[in-house]
Every structure is written in C-alpha cells, then in structure tokens.
Amino acid sequence: MLEIKNLHVSVDGKEILKGLNLSVGAGEMHAIMGPNGSGKSTLSYVIAGREGYDITGGRIVFQGEDLTGMEPEVRAAKGLFLAFQYPVEIPGVPNTTFLKEALNAIRRYRGEDELDAMQFVKMMREKTKELGISDDMLKRAVNAGFSGGEKKRNEILQMAVLKPTLAVLDETDSGLDIDALKIVAEGVNKLRSPDRSMLLITHYQRLLDYIVPDKVHVLAHGKIQRSGGKELAMELEEKGYAEFGEAAA
Amino acid sequence: MVASTNTMEQVNDLAEEKYKYGFVTDIESDTAPKGLSEDTVRFISAKKNEPEWLLDWRLKAYRYWLKMEDPEWAKVKFPEIDYQDAYYYSAPKTSGDGPKSLDEIDPELLATYEKLGIPLREQEMLSGVAVDAVFDSVSVATTFKAKLEEVGVIFCPISEALEKCPDLVKKYLGTVVPYTDNKHATLNSAVFTDGSFVYIPPGVRCPMELSTYFRINAKNTGQFERTLIIADKGSYVSYLEGCTAPMRDENQLHAAVVELIALDDAEIKYSTVQNWYPGDENGVGGIYNFVTKRGACRGRNSKISWTQVETGSAITWKYPSCILQGDNSVGEFYSIAITNNCQQADTGTKMIHLGKNTTSRIISKGISAGRADQTYRGLVRMSPKAENARNFTQCDSLLIGDQCGAHTVPYIESKNKSAIVEHEATTSTISEDQLFYLRQRGIPPEAAVALVVNGFCREVLQQLPMEFAVEAQKLVGISLEGSVG
Ligand SMILES: Nc1ncnc2c1ncn2[C@@H]1O[C@H](COP(=O)(O)OP(=O)(O)OP(=O)(O)O)[C@@H](O)[C@H]1O
Ligand SMILES: [Mg+2]
C-alpha cells in the first residue's frame, strides 16, 4: 500500500527527514511516535504533497505509484487522506458545503456520479450519528470557532465521508477529553478495513489502548530508529526518548 | 487514461465558461448617426415619440453636459473617452416601434436571451420572476404584464410609461438624480434610451420579483438606460438587475441611472449582478461601467436596500446611495466587488442621514486578484437634524496574489452629536494553509479559491434572492479563474 524508501526531505533548505524507510501493508494500522520536532508532521505533509516540502532523495510509492510531483488533490482522489494536527478554519463556508464539494470533486475525478443534495444529506445523517456529531456542527463554517476537540472530531467525520485507502492521522488524539477520545477511537476502529491502511501519529500510549496498532515506529533524527509491536509504545511511555538521544529535547 | 481526459475536458469547459456571454447576435439594427450633438438628442426623443417637456429636459442636460468636467477623484485610470466615436441609439430593427407581444420579437433575439439563461417565454419562466429585457437601447419584452396589472403594479419600459402614466414619470424623473448631478448621469439624462419603470401602488406587496436584463450587443454603442422605481405608501418590491455584453476589443460605455423612491412605510430591495465583459487578461476591451444609482427614502419608516455583485466591466465607477429623509428610514448597502487581471473598480455607497432615527448598514466585500486594483469609497453623512441616527460599516478586503491592490476610503461627516457611526475594516489573504487543506480533501486550486471567496462573501450572497444567489456563486468562481497557480 505505502512504501517509503530512503526518504530525504528539506524544508526551507533544512533537512528534516534523513533517509526514512517505512512500509505499510493493506489494511494495516501503524503508529508513529517521536519527540517534538522530530519530523512527524513533516512526514505527513510530504505524503500529502504540500508545497515547500521538497523531496531531495528517495521516494514515496502509494499503491504502486510514485507520488513525487503529484498534486495534492490528485493524491486525495487516489485515496489519500490526512487528518491535520492543526485543522484549518475556512470562515463562511458551511461544513456540509465543503464536504459535498470535496466528495464530489473526488468522485468526478474517479469518473463516478456526483451525489445530489438528497443523497448527500442522507449519507451525512448516518455518519454524524455514528460519530456523535451534532447537526449544528455541520451548518457552522469549517472549523471556525470549533473547540480543539470539535476540530479533531470533524477530521474524523471527513475521513468517514471521503473513505480513503490510506489515512494519516496526525495527533488526532491530542486535545481530546476521555469521552471524546473514546468516540474518535471508535470512529477510527469502525473505519478499519482490509483495504484501508492507517498511519497514526501520536505522543500517547493511551490512544493505543483503544486503537491497537499492528506496528509501532519511533521517529527521531529524521529516521525510523526502531520498530516493534504495541509493547514498544509502553516502553516509550516509561523511558521516554532518552535512548534515542533526545531526552528532554 | 480516463481520469486525466476528464480533467482536460473540465479545463476546457472552464476556459469556455470564462466569459460565456461573449457572443454577438447577428441582428439588423436601427442606429442613430454616430456622435453626440443636439441632433442626436432630438433623434432619440423623436424615435420615442416623447412629450415636449422631456425633450426640453434632455436638451438642458445636454447643454449642461457640454460644460462639465469628468469626475477625477476616483482611483481609476483610462484614456479620455471620445464621445463622438460612439453610437447613442441602436435598436433591433424588427422591434423599431416596440414589440406588442413575444411573437413579434425577432427569434434571434429570443435565442440570445435563452443563451443568457433568461427565458422570455412565460411558460419557461421561473415562477415569480417578471423580466424586462433591454437589448442595446430598447426594451424588447416585458413578461407577466397581465398578472402585475391585476394588483395595479406598473412594470414596463420607461418609454411605454411615458404613454401610460406620463404624470408619474414627470413627477419623479430626475428628482433623485438631477440632470446636473455628475457628468455620466448628465449624459444619461440627455441620451437615455430605455430602461425599466416600476410603480407599486399603496399597500401592495409586489407578488413577484421584478427583473431587468441588460445586454449590449451592437458595436461601438453606449448603453444609457434609466430606471425609475416608485414604491408608494406601505408597498414592497424586490427588483433584480443583470447585465452582460459580448467580447469586443474596444471599450464600450455604459452610463446608467437608477432612481428609487420609497414613500411612507415602503420598502425597495434592489439587487444587481453585474457581469459586463471585463476585457481580456491584458486589459484590452471591456465595458466602462459608470453608473449613478440613488434611492430616496422620502417617507417615514421607509427602507431601501442595495445589494450588488460586481464581477464584470473593465472599470466600475458606482456608488448606490440612500438619502434617508423620512424619520426612522433605513438604508442598506451590501456589496461584493471582484476585480481580476487588469480590472479596476472604485465603488461604495453614500448614506445621507437627514431624518431622525435613521439607520444605515454597509457591508462591503472586496476581492482583488491578478493586477487588479479596487477601492471602497463610502460616505456617511449625519446632518444636523439626524437625531439618534446610526450607521454601521464593515469593509473587508481579500487579496489573491501580491500584485493586486485594495484600498478603503471612508468619509464620515457628523454634524449631530447624538449620531453614532461605527466603522470596521479588515484586509486578509487566502492563506497557503487554507489552500492546502482544501486541496488535500480533493478540491482543485481554482475551486478551492472560489470556495474560500464564497465564504468570505457569504453575508452579502445571503441577501440575494435564491435564483440569483446560485448564479452569483458560480460567477464568483468564474471571475477568479487564472488567479492562482
Ligand atoms: N517552514 C519551516 N521552516 C523551517 N523549519 C521548519 C518548517 N516547518 C517545519 N520545520 C522544522 O521541522 C522540524 C520538524 O517539524 P514537524 O512539525 O514535522 O515536527 P513534529 O514531529 O510533527 O513535532 P510535534 O510533535 O511537535 O508535532 C522542526 O524542527 C520544525 O521547526
Ligand atoms: Mg507535528
């Protein structure tokens, strides 16, 4: 599904990722942990194709296709989704309008019929119910004035609507209270399927109690330093990143 | 690959959508000799069988105009206009004497309106919208006449109103915008050719939206329409105006005048979607849109509300205003102005508070892209007698790219201590964060920009009647094409 080989990425001339390797199979759930500033969000942006994140070496292959140079909206249409660490506000644009536009843009690209207003509303009703999201949130402008937790939940709603084949969730758990965390985790678990892979970026082992990963990776110094099972997350929770030379960074 | 062909097709479609109104209709027309003189004025007046008083008024305007200077205070640049190099009257030939019914209208012309999305045939019409269509200089059809007559509403070309209700025309014409007002309005007074006339009798709520579509077709022709709307005591009317023109290399002058009069407890809602041809990417061609629009809230508790979506024209010079004369009267101005490429716009409003407890509200959204330049220019005047008058002004500018400009020039004159004037202004850009977020969700850059801009304009778009709001949203996207990437 996703193959990252010897990836080097620079931002403003500064090398952030320095030869990163990662392989995620279809239907797998991988967690990435690592100290602040180690390049986790950078990795998510470069997978999604953000401008200014230059690949200086190596490559990212998604479903057998090299992503280098591909426009972000094309990646999205091919099934790539990024839940942002800091979701962006779009004043004046109702959440539903935005989601309908996004879904239909993707469907158009794939040569599928667009959903009409009725079909869309019906689908939205199901999704919001599943995720415990109020109708009010759909009418409000995208993320504008949303609380931190609401923004994160809105990201999961978008994922549920767009049904990606690969979702990168960048710290979707941070800022959530216990109840919200459970709802979000449940939402993510419901979306797990044999043909959907997920990359879960998190700082907390807590999330992994709810969403059990197939693999855990430690990102530091621009590389994956260690990979393991769920027990690796426990170990990190205890010892921190000292082993990787980043204690109290 | 199927997917990429699709996108190519979309791109082509978009490119064509760009100015889909840019076609020319091949119609024989009846045209006045080129140039401007007393003879031109007499020619127009004679063509329309006008009463003596109107010809005199036109001539007074013409003679006054000869001595006037171009207004120079606006922040727009253009070569001097050669008034002798234009035609001041052009009528589709078949309808020289004015059509009596739809069947008498040239089928070519009907086809043109269909292309523009204004079906004139009543059976095809959106229910509840009556249309008066002005093609070059004459009004070609007014639909739904009978239904309106039932409730006593008069909605017809102004030339017809001169026959039907000359006293009303005589009583109100030029009382809001006098022929001495400004050079463009004065020229209009001298040579105006047609336009719509509306009278709503006391206590009548007009049963449908009234709408005029203006179209400049003939080459080198100026369009000088004049609209006069009178809402008598306790009446209500909502009026829509749309405009398009073919693509031409030369600049065409459009100098319209709109006068609104609201008597006691009456309300007029006037909406415009202006999409005149803006010229090409390099600023060649396009309409000079020099328009004087003014409403007088003459009666107590009267209300006039202007909503405008200005996306077209090479140059827009326009300040729909309200004179708040009646006590407790209300003036509103909601505006979206979009300038792209080399377009220039200097637009805004004037709220003149004369009566007690008068209130006004100004919401202006300016979007500038490419190398375009635009200015919001607004005057709020609280006269000595305007006890407890209030104004709220919000001016927001959105810049796309780094070569465009936006300026806000608010003038506030307060001569009454009890009056309150509030002014808020913001300038923002579409952030890279927003664009990336939308693109990550699958929305291509141009659609993403259109979405953000529509969000930015929402407060104003919401003021438009439904059918217009949808059209306006699409227009916002089309006008900004080529502004990213
Ligand atoms: N535009 C930029 N210019 C310069 N440096 C940048 C830029 N964007 C990111 N960086 C740097 O890249 C490094 C990695 O940042 P990144 O956001 O990927 O870290 P992270 O692992 O997601 O951290 P956190 O856990 O705090 O979210 C940081 O040192 C950051 O300062
Ligand atoms: Mg991060």
Side-chain angles (χ1 to χ4, degrees):
Chain A
M1 179 69 57
L2 180 72
E3 287 288 338
I4 300 180
K5 287 200 186 111
N6 191 28
L7 186 68
H8 291 257
V9 172
S10 293
V11 183
D12 275 345
K14 181 182 161 199
E15 185 162 69
I16 310 289
L17 298 183
K18 305 165 182 167
L20 183 139
N21 290 294
L22 183 67
S23 172
V24 183
E28 289 179 0
M29 167 84 68
H30 288 215
I32 294 189
M33 305 182 81
N36 291 135
S38 58
K40 301 181 299 297
S41 292
T42 302
L43 175 63
S44 74
Y45 288 148
V46 77
I47 293 173
R50 184 166 195 156
E51 226 173 280
Y53 290 74
D54 304 321
I55 298 183
T56 51
R59 60 201 187 107
I60 307 171
V61 177
F62 174 53
Q63 294 176 308
E65 209 176 343
D66 191 337
L67 291 182
T68 311
M70 193 184 286
E71 301 293 342
E73 62 274 18
V74 176
R75 299 182 197 210
K78 292 189 187 238
L80 210 142
F81 181 88
L82 168 60
F84 285 61
Q85 184 174 1
Y86 305 108
V88 181
E89 302 190 4
I90 318 278
V93 178
N95 224 354
T96 35
T97 307
F98 158 64
L99 267 172
K100 184 157 175 260
E101 181 109 2
L103 180 65
N104 280 337
I106 288 175
R107 293 181 69 97
R108 263 198 309 275
Y109 182 87
R110 294 179 183 162
E112 298 166 3
D113 285 341
E114 292 182 30
L115 291 194
D116 64 29
M118 292 289 284
Q119 294 167 311
F120 184 76
V121 166
K122 190 164 165 269
M123 193 246 329
M124 288 306 291
R125 220 170 267 145
E126 285 164 23
K127 302 288 180 200
T128 45
K129 225 171 121 193
E130 265 176 37
L131 294 167
I133 285 172
S134 70
D135 277 358
D136 167 62
M137 214 161 109
L138 287 179
K139 285 180 211 138
R140 283 162 64 187
V142 181
N143 297 324
F146 283 28
S147 74
E150 285 170 337
K151 284 184 183 170
K152 296 300 171 83
R153 247 193 274 182
N154 197 27
E155 295 290 291
I156 299 304
L157 172 67
Q158 294 175 42
M159 173 165 79
V161 170
L162 300 179
K163 298 197 209 118
T165 27
L166 173 68
V168 181
L169 310 184
D170 192 357
E171 296 197 28
T172 301
D173 55 332
S174 54
L176 294 181
D177 63 40
I178 285 290
D179 294 332
L181 183 74
K182 277 186 195 160
I183 294 173
V184 163
E186 248 170 60
V188 171
N189 282 330
K190 268 192 201 136
L191 289 166
R192 281 180 89 156
S193 93
D195 46 18
R196 177 169 299 129
S197 313
M198 297 199 203
L199 206 53
L200 206 60
I201 296 171
T202 182
H203 283 292
Y204 305 105
Q205 187 267 331
R206 190 183 59 176
L207 179 68
L208 306 182
D209 286 343
Y210 298 104
I211 304 173
V212 182
D214 298 303
K215 264 194 183 153
V216 176
H217 307 275
V218 178
L219 172 58
H221 297 306
K223 280 184 190 178
I224 300 293
Q225 302 288 349
R226 240 179 94 185
S227 301
K230 192 176 174 258
E231 66 293 342
L232 179 55
M234 310 277 232
E235 190 188 321
L236 289 171
E237 186 93 343
E238 247 170 63
K239 296 189 195 155
Y241 296 106
E243 179 191 339
F244 309 103
E246 304 240 2
Chain B
M1 217 170 120
V2 182
S4 59
T5 355
N6 269 350
T7 359
M8 274 316 291
E9 269 167 24
Q10 277 166 27
V11 169
N12 286 339
D13 285 354
L14 274 174
E16 273 163 30
E17 271 255 281
K18 207 167 215 165
Y19 198 77
K20 66 174 175 183
Y21 309 103
F23 55 86
V24 178
T25 307
D26 195 8
I27 281 186
E28 249 195 285
S29 54
D30 186 5
T31 305
K34 202 178 203 179
L36 184 56
S37 65
E38 281 205 16
D39 286 344
T40 319
V41 176
R42 285 176 197 280
F43 177 95
I44 293 167
S45 192
K47 272 276 165 203
K48 298 191 164 287
N49 289 319
E50 283 176 355
E52 196 63 29
W53 67 264
L54 190 50
L55 175 62
D56 288 346
W57 190 72
R58 285 179 180 274
L59 289 170
K60 270 194 280 183
Y62 174 70
R63 287 168 199 146
Y64 193 83
W65 179 81
L66 288 174
K67 294 176 288 184
M68 289 175 97
E69 302 286 333
D70 280 332
E72 302 230 308
W73 40 264
K75 198 175 176 308
V76 291
K77 277 192 234 112
F78 56 93
E80 208 177 324
I81 299 171
D82 182 357
Y83 292 97
Q84 298 309 334
D85 190 36
Y87 294 95
Y88 290 84
Y89 182 84
S90 170
K93 220 166 201 164
T94 42
S95 61
D97 301 320
K100 298 294 174 281
S101 79
L102 283 171
D103 297 329
E104 284 180 33
I105 297 172
D106 190 330
E108 277 276 327
L109 201 54
L110 285 180
T112 302
Y113 282 110
E114 249 158 63
K115 250 196 243 183
L116 294 169
I118 327 158
L120 282 174
R121 302 220 162 252
E122 293 185 24
Q123 65 267 28
E124 290 173 27
M125 295 209 20
L126 284 165
S127 57
V129 183
V131 180
D132 182 20
V134 177
F135 194 87
D136 288 337
S137 304
V138 292
S139 180
V140 288
T142 308
T143 58
F144 275 124
K145 252 183 210 167
K147 197 167 173 196
L148 291 169
E149 270 165 17
E150 252 169 58
V151 289
V153 170
I154 305 174
F155 175 42
C156 63
I158 202 160
S159 48
E160 202 178 308
L162 280 164
E163 287 164 24
K164 236 189 218 168
C165 47
D167 296 345
L168 275 177
V169 181
K170 193 171 176 184
K171 183 170 174 191
Y172 290 108
L173 187 77
T175 62
V176 188
V177 181
Y179 71 81
T180 51
D181 196 80
N182 67 75
K183 195 169 180 185
H184 308 306
T186 302
L187 178 62
N188 174 289
S189 304
V191 301
F192 76 89
T193 35
D194 223 324
S196 296
F197 175 85
V198 176
Y199 173 76
I200 316 288
V204 171
R205 194 179 166 87
C206 189
M208 58 186 73
E209 310 268 358
L210 302 182
S211 162
T212 302
Y213 233 92
F214 295 113
R215 166 107 184 135
I216 297 180
N217 187 62
K219 202 176 169 179
N220 275 330
T221 305
Q223 186 159 15
F224 305 94
E225 80 276 352
R226 188 149 191 131
T227 300
L228 178 58
I229 300 177
I230 303 139
D232 214 322
K233 292 181 182 171
S235 68
Y236 168 86
V237 63
S238 166
Y239 186 90
L240 320 173
E241 174 202 280
C243 342
T244 59
M247 292 192 216
R248 295 195 186 280
D249 291 344
E250 76 274 16
N251 297 104
Q252 282 173 292
L253 178 61
H254 174 248
V257 171
V258 175
E259 296 179 280
L260 311 182
I261 294 133
L263 302 183
D264 287 356
D265 304 299
E267 178 176 348
I268 303 175
K269 192 171 161 56
Y270 193 106
S271 315
T272 306
V273 174
Q274 184 267 112
N275 184 28
W276 294 119
Y277 178 53
D280 69 10
E281 302 82 61
N282 302 313
V284 177
I287 301 288
Y288 290 167
N289 190 36
F290 299 157
V291 170
T292 306
K293 289 185 169 171
R294 197 173 300 154
C297 284
R298 295 229 169 115
R300 292 175 59 88
N301 310 318
S302 56
K303 178 175 175 184
I304 289 180
S305 179
W306 298 101
T307 304
Q308 61 172 22
V309 179
E310 303 282 324
T311 63
S313 296
I315 304 177
T316 296
W317 178 99
K318 181 181 169 190
Y319 315 89
S321 305
C322 296
I323 299 167
L324 303 169
Q325 197 178 335
D327 290 347
N328 313 325
S329 61
V330 178
E332 290 177 338
F333 175 73
Y334 295 96
S335 170
I336 296 169
I338 299 181
T339 45
N340 194 2
N341 296 318
C342 300
Q343 281 178 282
Q344 308 174 61
D346 194 297
T347 184
T349 184
K350 285 190 251 179
M351 293 292 173
I352 312 294
H353 292 252
L354 300 174
K356 295 191 190 77
N357 305 316
T358 47
T359 53
S360 62
R361 184 177 169 82
I362 300 171
I363 307 287
S364 162
K365 306 278 179 178
I367 299 108
S368 214
R371 283 169 286 157
D373 205 21
Q374 70 166 266
T375 302
Y376 166 83
R377 193 180 300 279
L379 167 67
V380 176
R381 178 183 292 153
M382 301 299 189
S383 68
K385 285 188 184 146
E387 278 309 310
N388 297 316
R390 253 151 232 272
N391 161 266
F392 173 76
T393 301
Q394 169 91 44
C395 277
D396 298 321
S397 308
L398 185 71
L399 302 176
I400 302 173
D402 53 10
Q403 287 181 291
C404 55
H407 318 271
T408 302
V409 190
Y411 303 90
I412 297 168
E413 295 171 14
S414 188
K415 300 213 172 79
N416 187 307
K417 284 211 176 73
S418 67
I420 299 175
V421 179
E422 281 177 85
H423 181 93
E424 288 173 14
T426 65
T427 300
S428 53
T429 55
I430 296 184
S431 72
E432 200 269 322
D433 276 354
Q434 288 175 321
L435 269 186
F436 175 62
Y437 190 68
L438 295 170
R439 291 179 72 183
Q440 203 305 301
R441 297 305 187 244
I443 303 172
E446 294 203 329
V449 169
L451 200 63
V452 174
V453 172
N454 269 309
F456 173 76
C457 300
R458 192 164 143 88
E459 237 180 310
V460 176
L461 288 169
Q462 279 173 335
Q463 296 296 324
L464 289 171
M466 264 302 270
E467 316 86 59
F468 257 37
V470 175
E471 189 63 20
Q473 278 181 32
K474 281 192 216 146
L475 207 52
V476 165
I478 294 166
S479 329
L480 287 168
E481 252 160 49
S483 61
V484 280

